[in-house]
Structures are given as C-alpha cells and as structure tokens.
Amino acid sequence: MNAPPQVSTDRVRGAGPAGLPDLADPSFWRLPRAERLAGFARLREHGEPVLFTPRTGAHQPFRALVGHADVRAASRQPRVFASAPGVTTPEPARWAKAVFGNSMVHMDGPEHAGLRRTVSRAFTPRLLTAAEENIAGTARRLVDEVVAGRPEDFMRSAAARLPFEVICDLMGIPVRYRPEIAVQIDHASEYVGVRRRGRARLRVPGRGLRSLARMQLVMARLAAERRRRPADDLVSALVRADVDGRSLSARELGAFFSLLLVAGVETTRNALAHGLHLLTAHPEQRALLESDFERYADGAVDEIVRHSTPIIQFRRTVREAHELGGRVFVPGEKVMLLYASANRDASVFTDPDVFDITRSPNPHLGYGGGGPHHCLGAHLARLEMKALYRELLGRPVPVRASGDPVLVASNFDHRVRSLPLSYGLFHPNEPV
C-alpha cells in the first residue's frame, strides 16, 4: 500500500501538500475560478490521489480523484465507492434522515435501485411529452417578459424561474403553494458547500432544516390531495407507485420531492446562467449556434455543462479495499469525486479550457460519471436549456451578459448569485 503524502500545515491562499492546492482549506474555494482550475491541473499532473485533512475535526480527511478515468471508474463501482452515509459535507445526520427521509443520492444497492426504478416508471412517455411542450411554452413566455421588461439580472428573471416553473408544473404543484416553496428552496440550498463564520455556523444549518421541513409539509398536503383526487402529474403517479410491492412512505415521497425541487432547480439555473455568459464571451460560438440552432444545440448544451460543471464534486465512502489511481483505498476512507477537474482532463479533452460547441466526442461527467447515480433529471435539464437558448437567440433584440457572473464561494456547486444583462448588438471590445 502506498504511504499517504504528508499534509502541510502551511495554508496560505489554499496551499497544500508539496505546493499543491489544499482542497480542505476554505480559502482555496474563494480563489478566482481560473486559479482553482489551475490548481486542479496541478493535482492531475501529480498523479496519485492526494490526502487532504480539514482544519476542523468535524470533517474527516479525504482523498481527491481528479482525473477523468478515475472519477468515471469510481462512479461505476458503487459497491466499493458508496454513496451512503452521504455524498455531501457534512453528511446528513441520522436523526435528520429519520425525520425527513433519506435522499436517493445518499443510498446504495437494492434500496436505491428500487426507489429509482419506481421514480423512473413515473416519468411516463405521456408525462414527458407534456413536459416538453410545457417547457417550450414557459421558455417563450419568460423570454417575452425579459425582452419587454429588460431586467438587469438573468438569474431572477429567467434562469431560476424556468426550472422552478417546469418542475412545479410537472409535479402538479398548485400556484398557491409555489411562492412558499420557492423561498424554502433558496433557504435549503443557500449554504450547501459554503464555509460559514461566526454565529452563522450555528444559525444557518437550522434554517436549512426548517426549510426542508416546511417544504415537506407542503408536499405532504399535496400528496394527500392527490391520493383523494389523482391528476395527470408526477405527484399523482408517485403516490400511487410502489417499491417491491409496498407504497412509498410519506418520508420517502418528501425526500424525493425535496431532491427534485432543490437539485432540479439549482443545477439547471446555474447551467443556464453560465451558458449565456459563455455564449456572450465567445461571440463566434454564439454566431455558430444562431446560424443553425437545431444542428448545434445538443453540442452547445453538452459543452456548457462540461465547461461550467454545475456540480463541482460529490463524496464517496470506501467499502472494501480497492486499487485505483495508483494507490490502494481501504474501507472507511472518504473520497472526493472532483467532476470540475475531470471535465478539464487534457488526456480526454483536446484544449480542455477552450469553449467549443462542436466538440465531439464530449464524454463530460457533468451529470455524474455514469453508474447507478447518473443524474435522473439530465434529459429534463437538456430540454430546458435548449428551449431557453432557442428563445433568447431567436429574438430581434439580442439578450446577452454584460459582465461576469457573481458567484457564491462553494466547494459543492458552481453557483451563480446573479448575472447582469444588456440588450442590443454585441461589440467585441466590450468587457464580459
């Protein structure tokens, strides 16, 4: 077994062992994105997965998988690299799982497979066809509002609204419930992966749990309504569904609804914002997409997801001894699957820092590395991104970013707080 590298206690601007970036140091995640990407490149060049030890004893040491091949291999071996007890940091507490239900992303084996199979069956062809039509109409309406009102922020005006409204329509959430749910989504996801300071370290986790509780109370009321009066929506399909001959419990339904609402909204709205910024910063790529949208749209969406990688990383727990990336992992070790690094691996992607909507092949890991936890909502996200860009790029008055996105410092997702907008023709000398 290879000896673990020594971890330096010198933590100046994210510096780690042997001059490598320290992914356990919060200051690393506050660096400009270009510096973080350069740090990932140094980790890939280093080769062997590096051990990182957080400063606080509340979090366990972990090794980071940074190469495309290693992240993909670990994703496809859930018996070795398990999602349970949790893929986020900190891991969900046992009492929280007992109260709110265990999310599908934290499950393994038959439990995960059964729940995922039931959920997948609920997405019937009829439901998906209706969803696709609704996505197109919602995107058209939102862009109409943007062009008419000329708001300053893309996130609030369109990027956040599209996935939220689409998922609410898909689930059949009545309009009267939506304002409350929107607030709870923001509170539940606001500080995931963000290092908090002072009193906020104690206050914010409670706020997030309260938001989940309130969201699940709303969904419980809706589930009860749909049991009495089923409709042609996802909630009705799931409350009538069963896993291995048993109905889903209220906690299972609540946990899935929370996952769909938070993950389905947060990741897609970030990808939409990054995409508009990339298309503005690379006018030749935007012009190519506009020249034949249907030809280039799928490639553009894949390249936006690869280049921006909305989910930076997930964690895994080693269950049995296994060799990968030049070392032997032992049971109990924590592992970071760093998608943001894997998607810039030069051994897989030619000129990985270049934004190229014609890139082919494009085996990015933006929806996970394959295996049983491949993103269940990937198809829906692609439809939403294509629909919104089709509308944005097809208007007489061009809508574009007028500056860089304002990001939230996070080691979990590539989160956009806001993206400024401008309207009119693009001038190459303008800053973006």
Side-chain angles (χ1 to χ4, degrees):
M1 182 181 301
N2 295 324
Q6 295 299 308
V7 180
S8 172
T9 57
D10 180 17
R11 304 211 171 179
V12 179
R13 287 182 62 79
L20 295 171
D22 188 353
L23 304 187
D25 186 346
S27 68
F28 172 80
W29 301 101
R30 292 193 289 268
L31 294 174
R33 185 164 182 249
E35 292 186 39
R36 284 183 278 131
L37 290 174
F40 299 156
R42 294 199 300 276
L43 289 172
R44 291 194 299 272
E45 292 169 1
H46 179 74
E48 181 180 323
V50 176
L51 176 69
F52 297 99
T53 302
R55 181 178 299 177
T56 170
H59 302 305
Q60 293 180 254
F62 62 90
R63 292 188 183 273
L65 295 179
V66 294
H68 187 280
D70 289 347
V71 172
R72 186 175 183 273
S75 300
R76 293 168 183 245
Q77 299 179 79
R79 289 184 57 185
V80 178
F81 298 96
S83 295
V87 300
T88 56
T89 303
E91 295 171 354
R94 291 183 180 180
W95 68 264
K97 292 180 182 179
V99 173
F100 299 111
N102 193 11
S103 177
M104 191 158 47
V105 297
H106 303 307
M107 295 180 182
D108 296 299
E111 181 186 25
H112 172 265
L115 182 55
R116 186 177 175 108
R117 184 167 56 249
T118 298
V119 170
S120 298
R121 282 201 298 260
F123 284 91
T124 62
R126 179 179 176 181
L127 198 65
L128 288 174
T129 298
E132 187 166 1
E133 294 173 357
N134 179 57
I135 288 169
T138 303
R140 188 178 308 114
R141 172 173 55 81
L142 291 176
V143 175
D144 284 344
E145 294 176 7
V146 166
V147 172
R150 301 201 173 192
E152 297 180 352
D153 178 22
F154 183 58
M155 289 298 287
R156 289 182 178 274
S157 59
R161 291 179 61 191
L162 177 63
F164 176 72
E165 293 191 20
V166 165
I167 287 178
C168 285
D169 289 341
L170 179 68
M171 296 173 70
I173 297 175
V175 174
R176 67 182 183 276
Y177 290 157
R178 297 186 185 188
E180 180 182 354
I181 290 177
V183 171
Q184 304 312 328
I185 288 173
D186 287 338
H187 289 173
S189 61
E190 187 176 7
Y191 288 97
V192 175
V194 179
R195 183 68 174 269
R196 297 175 292 275
R197 298 175 179 175
R199 293 181 180 178
R201 295 177 64 185
L202 301 176
R203 183 174 64 250
V204 174
R207 178 180 176 179
L209 290 175
R210 285 196 301 273
S211 297
L212 287 175
R214 289 167 180 163
M215 193 157 38
Q216 291 201 9
L217 283 174
V218 172
M219 296 314 304
R221 292 199 299 269
L222 180 58
E225 291 177 14
R226 290 296 184 265
R227 286 191 178 96
R228 292 192 301 267
R229 291 184 295 275
D232 193 14
D233 56 42
L234 186 59
V235 172
S236 297
L238 286 171
V239 297
R240 297 195 306 267
D242 63 77
V243 178
D244 298 329
R246 65 175 179 84
S247 298
L248 271 67
S249 68
R251 284 197 299 271
E252 287 172 328
L253 286 168
F256 172 71
F257 292 151
S258 299
L259 173 65
L260 185 60
L261 285 166
V262 176
V265 170
E266 187 72 30
T267 55
T268 305
R269 69 185 182 184
N270 289 330
L272 286 166
H274 286 298
L276 182 60
H277 176 255
L278 285 167
L279 290 169
T280 302
H282 300 86
E284 76 291 347
Q285 296 294 303
R286 176 168 178 152
L288 183 61
L289 182 57
E290 289 176 333
S291 71
D292 192 338
F293 186 86
E294 299 308 322
R295 177 182 178 184
Y296 294 111
D298 287 330
V301 167
D302 274 334
E303 181 67 348
I304 288 167
V305 172
R306 181 197 72 84
H307 203 278
S308 64
T309 312
I311 295 295
I312 294 173
Q313 55 91 8
F314 271 141
R315 302 296 179 100
R316 296 290 188 266
T317 300
V318 179
R319 292 301 184 206
E320 57 186 58
H322 184 79
E323 184 174 358
L324 181 67
R327 82 171 311 277
V328 176
F329 289 88
V330 298
E333 282 192 289
K334 300 295 182 179
V335 178
M336 172 189 282
L337 306 186
L338 194 54
Y339 308 116
S341 174
N343 280 343
R344 298 297 180 106
D345 191 335
S347 69
V348 176
F349 304 100
T350 302
D351 297 324
D353 295 327
V354 171
F355 177 65
D356 178 9
I357 67 172
T358 67
R359 186 181 297 278
S360 181
N362 190 351
H364 69 82
L365 306 183
Y367 301 116
H373 282 280
H374 186 76
C375 178
L376 189 62
H379 177 66
L380 197 64
R382 290 189 184 101
L383 291 177
E384 292 173 24
M385 293 176 68
K386 287 170 62 176
L388 194 63
Y389 295 141
R390 183 184 289 111
E391 292 295 330
L392 283 170
L393 273 57
R395 300 304 175 100
V397 178
V399 181
R400 61 185 180 86
S402 61
D404 292 335
V406 177
L407 303 179
V408 176
S410 172
N411 67 3
F412 176 70
D413 59 1
H414 194 192
R415 197 178 315 171
V416 179
R417 188 183 304 279
S418 62
L419 178 69
L421 287 178
S422 65
Y423 305 84
L425 297 177
F426 176 78
H427 300 288
N429 292 329
E430 290 185 26
V432 176

